[in-house]
Amino acid sequence: MLDRSDAPAQPYDIVVPTAGRPSLQRLLDALATGDGVPPRALILVDDRPAGSGPLAATVPDGISARVEVLFGGGRGPAAARNIGWRAARAQWVVFLDDDVVPAVDWRARLQHDLRALGPRDAASQGRIRVPLREGRRATDWERNVAGLERARWVTADMVIRRAALRAVGGFDERFPRAYREDADLALRLRAAGFGLRLGDRETLHPVPPADRWVSVRKQAGNADDALMAALHG
């Protein structure tokens, strides 16, 4: 589909589930810069346990006309994203993780990606780039994160039509971790007859700090693989 730069801007809301990591401020600062239409609303879903106190981040002036901070209750990113998109009002809902960095031209390229979608297309994924250190072999954790560059339908940067989310019931909250909940949603969207596309916008996903046991803890995702097999074969 040809891109029509003179077409009206597509309104969108941004939903960010957050565990309160310091990287949240870096994300907010990146969203506030660059060319392109800003979001109509920025919805932060605080997914820390109750009593954690306010988020240690400041939303830059002018990033959005409407900013909301909602409480997720520590039930995981699937539940937090459901809270966020159900509070959204725009036709399109952009999901971003709290540790990504949108490129300077991200907002402008988002509009390009939205104009390229057809009436039965439900979603567009951003291109994820994971910068790795040069001059040495990547660690197991760095290789794990770098896998996002090849992953399909990851919600580190994914814009989804709000009507499509309503049609399939949103994210399955039986997935308690940031693992497989996005692939499950993509499969259900496709089963409902919607298309999913890869966009041109680019988002950096720096490797977050982690201790030596992070790969061991990641094995908990095997339980989510069992649920995926039970749901989708």
Side-chain angles (χ1 to χ4, degrees), residues 50-131:
S52 299
L55 290 171
T58 302
V59 179
D61 292 337
I63 191 173
S64 175
R66 172 174 157 243
V67 177
E68 288 191 41
V69 179
L70 305 177
F71 181 58
R75 294 185 293 128
R81 291 190 189 105
N82 281 341
I83 291 171
W85 75 259
R86 286 167 181 154
R89 301 171 190 167
Q91 176 185 5
W92 295 101
V93 181
V94 180
F95 296 100
L96 293 173
D97 285 352
D98 67 355
D99 55 356
V100 301
V101 184
V104 173
D105 61 352
W106 182 88
R107 296 193 320 205
R109 285 185 175 270
L110 173 64
Q111 290 296 319
H112 168 88
D113 292 343
L114 290 176
R115 287 192 293 266
L117 296 179
R120 287 299 295 175
D121 288 332
S124 168
Q125 178 185 321
R127 297 176 183 269
I128 305 298
R129 298 288 179 260
V130 180

Side-chain angles (χ1 to χ4, degrees), residues 72 105 126 140 161 163 175 179 206 223 229:
D105 61 352
D140 183 57
R161 198 184 297 270
F175 292 93
Y179 191 70

Side-chain angles (χ1 to χ4, degrees), residues 171-195:
F171 293 86
D172 189 332
E173 297 181 13
R174 289 176 293 179
F175 292 93
R177 285 165 286 269
Y179 191 70
R180 302 301 189 220
E181 84 291 355
D182 41 16
D184 166 77
L185 176 64
L187 289 172
R188 287 188 286 115
L189 286 169
R190 291 208 164 189
F194 292 105

